[in-house]
Amino acid sequence: MKFKLFATASAAAIVLSASAALAGDNNSAFIDQIGTANNAAITQTGTDNRAGQNTANGRIRQEGDENDLDIVQDSAGTTQGGRAGLGNAGIDQIGNRNVLSITQDRGAVYNVQQTSTGAAGAIADVANRATVTQGLSATNQVARIEQTYTGDGTSGTENVVSVTQTTSGTGTTGNRLSDGGINSQTGGIFQNGFSNSATVNQSGAFNETSFVMQDGSGHSASVSQTRTGNSVQTIDQDGTNQSATIVQIGVAGIFSSANQVDLVQQSGDANVANLSFTGNLNGNPGFLPLATDFANSVASSFESSVIQAGTNNGVDLIVVGDSNQFGFNQSGDNNTVGMVSFTGDGNEIGVDQQGGDNELGLSAIVGSNNDIGVKQTSDAAGNGNLATVNTSGSGTSDNNAVRVVQDSQGAPSGNDANVFFDGNSNTVDIAQTGDNDADVDVVGSSNAFAVAQNGLSNSATVDITGDSNGLTGGGPLTGDAAGVSGVTVGLINQFGDSNTANLTISDTLSDSSGDNNLFAFDQAGNGNSITGTQDGDSNQVAIAQNGNANGATFLQQGTFNNLGISQ
C-alpha cells in the first residue's frame, strides 16, 4: 500500500496511518508540504514499511516555516523494521524552526536534511531539531543527519540532534550512526551554524558512531556508549567555545571491553574535550611496548587522539581500567590538559603541546606499568610551560615510566616539570631546554632518574625517601664514586651558567630506608652550584663540575657512604 500527499497552504496538517485496520507490510508514505506551519504524522505498523523512497516521486519534503514531522514505525515483533528517508533525497525540511521526530522499535533512518535561514517562528528556541529514537533491534542505523542554519546567530538559533539507540543484544553487530555502505554519502551528524548540539546515546555491544561534524561556534557534541566493542571514529568541531564529551562504559568483570575512540579534532579557541572510560583496552590498539617507549615518543603516531588547534583549549580524561591508550596534541597558547586521572595498569598516554603557557596536570595515576610521555614546545613569542605528573594517589604505583621533554629556548620564561611518585621501580626522564625548573619527589625504592637541563638559571631538585634509587645506568659506582668521570647513574646534567641542583635522600620509611642510593651530577658552565643531603648507609654520589666559580656542598650521614667531586 502506498500513500502520497501533496499539500500547499498555511497551517497544513496531515496524518497518515497504517495501523489498526490499515496495518500490514511493505507500506510506503510520501509527503510534499509547501507553506507555513506544516504538520505531518506518519504511523506504520508491520514489516518493512517505508517513509520516503529513493524515487523521483518518493520523497518526504516540507518547505516553509515551522515545519513539524512525526514518524512512528512499529515492526509488530517482526525481524524487519521500518525505514525512513530512503535514498539520497531522504527527508527534507526547508524553512525556519524545523522539527523532526522519528521513533522506530527497530529500523533505519537514511538521510535527513534540515535547512533554516532565520530564527522567526513560534517553535521554541531552535533553528532545526531532529530526534531519533530506536530500540529493540541490535542493528538499528542512522545514516546521515544534516542541519544548516545560515542566519545571523541571534538567540534561539541552534541546531539540535538527539539520537538514542537501545538494544539488549550482546552480538558482534550493534547500532550504527554511520552510512555503513548504504549510499555514497559520508555518514554521521553534520551541523552548520551557531550553538549546535549533538547528543548520541548507544547502549549494547559493538555500537558505532562514525562522524560528528560541527562548523560555526558554541557547539557541543556528546557521545555515550555502554558495554563492549564500541567505537567513535571522529568528532570534528571548527569554531570557538566548543565542547566534546565521550563516555564509554565497559562491562564490569569483562577484560575485553575494547571500546575505541579514533579522533577528536577541534579547531579554534576556548574548546574543551572531556573523555571518560570504564573498562579495559579502550582507546586504540597498536602502540609499542610499555616502559621503554614513553607513550610512543609522545603521541606522534597515536591512533587514538585529541587534536586541538587554537588558544585556551582544554582536555580532561578519566580512565578506570587496564591497557588503555590515548594521545593529545595541542597547538597554540594557554592550552591545558587538566584533569587527567588513571586508575589501572598498563595504560599509555602521550601529550604534545606546542605554544606558550600550556599546562599539563596528570593529577592521579593509580596503578602499575603505566607509560607517560609529555612534550611541550614554546617559541620566542610564548612563555614557558608547566607539566605535573602525580602517581601519589591512594596506595603505591609501581613500574611506571615518565618522560617530560620541554623546550622554551628564546621564550621570555622557562618551563616547570614536577613529577611525584609513590611506589617502586619507576623511571623518570626529564629533558629541558631554556630557563627551567625540575622538581622530582619520590617515595619508594629502585626508582631510576635522569634529568638533563640546557640553558641558564636552571634548577633541579630531587627528594627521595627509599632505597636503591638512581640506577639509570646499571651497576653501582665504586671508590670515591668511581672517580667521577663517565658518570651515568641517576644522572642530573646541567649545561649552562647559574644552574642549581639539590638532592635530598631521607630514611623515614623504615629503619633500613635511605640506603644504597646512587646519583651523579654533571655541570658544565660558570657559577653553578650543587647541594645535597643523604641520610642512610652505602649511598654514593659523583659530582663533576667543569667551569668557573662553581660550588658543591654535600652532607652524608650514615656508614659506608661514598662521595667523589671533580672540579
Side-chain angles (χ1 to χ4, degrees):
M1 182 180 298
K2 295 184 178 179
F3 290 99
K4 178 173 179 61
L5 287 181
F6 178 81
T8 60
S10 297
I14 298 174
V15 178
L16 300 181
S17 176
S19 59
L22 295 179
D25 304 330
N26 300 304
N27 294 303
S28 299
F30 320 127
I31 292 174
D32 265 309
Q33 288 181 312
I34 300 174
T36 302
N38 296 309
N39 288 272
I42 300 173
T43 301
Q44 296 173 316
T45 303
T47 300
D48 196 21
N49 292 308
R50 299 176 181 88
Q53 189 165 295
N54 192 21
T55 64
N57 297 318
R59 67 186 184 183
I60 292 181
R61 179 183 178 93
Q62 293 176 315
E63 185 171 350
D65 294 339
E66 302 177 37
N67 298 307
D68 192 333
L69 173 61
D70 295 314
I71 299 174
V72 178
Q73 294 175 316
D74 185 347
S75 67
T78 63
T79 59
Q80 178 64 59
R83 290 181 282 177
L86 279 73
N88 292 335
I91 298 171
D92 280 303
Q93 290 181 314
I94 301 171
N96 299 318
R97 301 201 184 280
N98 301 304
V99 174
L100 170 67
S101 174
I102 301 175
T103 303
Q104 299 170 321
D105 65 341
R106 64 172 71 229
V109 176
Y110 290 75
N111 286 293
V112 174
Q113 294 83 222
Q114 294 177 312
T115 303
S116 178
T117 58
I123 299 177
D125 297 330
V126 293
N128 301 299
R129 173 180 290 153
T131 303
V132 178
T133 304
Q134 297 173 317
L136 184 62
S137 173
T139 57
N140 293 306
Q141 180 177 8
V142 175
R144 181 183 178 93
I145 298 176
E146 182 175 355
Q147 295 177 318
T148 302
Y149 172 72
T150 60
D152 59 7
T154 55
S155 178
T157 58
E158 60 266 31
N159 297 307
V160 178
V161 171
S162 175
V163 175
T164 301
Q165 296 174 315
T166 305
T167 178
S168 59
T170 58
T172 58
T173 302
N175 298 304
R176 290 180 295 174
L177 177 57
S178 165
D179 65 4
I182 295 298
N183 54 48
S184 61
Q185 299 185 32
T186 302
I189 295 173
F190 301 82
Q191 295 176 311
N192 179 279
F194 303 91
S195 303
N196 298 316
S197 168
T199 303
V200 180
N201 293 299
Q202 296 174 316
S203 65
F206 297 95
N207 296 302
E208 175 189 352
T209 294
S210 66
F211 206 75
V212 177
M213 181 176 182
Q214 297 172 315
D215 186 8
S217 63
H219 311 315
S220 66
S222 175
V223 179
S224 177
Q225 297 172 319
T226 61
R227 297 188 68 84
T228 186
N230 297 303
S231 70
V232 177
Q233 294 182 10
T234 301
I235 294 179
D236 190 342
Q237 296 175 316
D238 187 0
T240 59
N241 297 301
Q242 304 166 122
S243 69
T245 301
I246 298 176
V247 179
Q248 291 179 323
I249 303 174
V251 183
I254 295 180
F255 181 77
S256 57
S257 292
N259 294 309
Q260 175 177 318
V261 175
D262 288 351
L263 177 64
V264 177
Q265 181 166 289
Q266 296 174 315
S267 301
D269 301 331
N271 299 311
V272 177
N274 301 293
L275 294 86
S276 178
F277 303 91
T278 303
N280 305 320
L281 296 170
N282 296 306
N284 204 333
F287 296 173
L288 297 177
L290 290 168
T292 58
D293 189 49
F294 293 102
N296 203 16
S297 298
V298 196
S300 60
S301 62
F302 276 16
E303 297 180 32
S304 179
S305 300
V306 175
I307 299 176
Q308 295 176 319
T311 61
N312 298 301
N313 296 309
V315 175
D316 292 334
L317 172 67
I318 299 176
V319 175
V320 180
D322 302 330
S323 302
N324 298 294
Q325 302 167 324
F326 301 95
F328 301 140
N329 182 285
Q330 296 175 317
S331 59
D333 298 331
N334 298 300
N335 295 309
T336 63
V337 177
M339 173 60 185
V340 178
S341 173
F342 278 96
T343 302
D345 302 328
N347 296 301
E348 295 180 84
I349 179 172
V351 178
D352 185 357
Q353 294 177 315
Q354 302 174 32
D357 290 304
N358 294 311
E359 183 174 342
L360 164 73
L362 272 68
S363 56
I365 310 298
V366 182
S368 301
N369 298 302
N370 296 299
D371 185 31
I372 300 162
V374 179
K375 181 179 180 181
Q376 295 175 317
T377 305
S378 178
D379 56 26
N383 292 316
N385 300 301
L386 170 64
T388 301
V389 179
N390 183 11
T391 70
S392 302
S394 58
T396 60
S397 188
D398 302 329
N399 297 301
N400 297 298
V402 175
R403 171 179 286 164
V404 178
V405 179
Q406 295 175 316
D407 186 353
S408 67
Q409 197 165 19
S413 62
N415 299 302
D416 291 316
N418 304 304
V419 179
F420 307 103
F421 271 136
D422 186 353
N424 305 315
S425 302
N426 297 298
T427 299
V428 178
D429 184 353
I430 297 175
Q432 297 173 313
T433 302
D435 176 7
N436 304 297
D437 290 320
D439 188 355
V440 180
D441 192 340
V442 172
V443 178
S445 301
S446 301
N447 296 296
F449 301 88
V451 178
Q453 295 175 319
N454 187 348
L456 302 176
S457 302
N458 293 304
S459 172
T461 302
V462 179
D463 292 318
I464 308 292
T465 303
D467 303 327
S468 303
N469 293 296
L471 298 174
T472 58
L477 301 169
T478 58
D480 291 335
V484 176
S485 62
V487 293
T488 56
V489 215
L491 180 63
I492 298 174
N493 178 281
Q494 294 175 317
F495 181 83
D497 298 334
S498 303
N499 297 307
T500 63
N502 180 269
L503 172 67
T504 302
I505 299 177
S506 59
D507 64 348
T508 59
L509 280 178
S510 65
D511 292 339
S512 61
S513 294
D515 302 332
N516 299 302
N517 294 293
L518 285 77
F519 280 89
F521 296 86
D522 187 3
Q523 289 180 326
N526 301 316
N528 296 309
S529 66
I530 295 173
T531 60
T533 302
Q534 287 181 316
D535 191 356
D537 302 328
S538 301
N539 295 303
Q540 299 187 48
V541 174
I543 296 174
Q545 292 177 314
N546 184 9
N548 301 312
N550 296 311
T553 304
F554 228 90
L555 172 64
Q556 291 180 319
Q557 299 183 91
T559 59
F560 304 105
N561 293 308
N562 185 358
L563 172 64
I565 299 177
S566 175
Q567 293 176 312

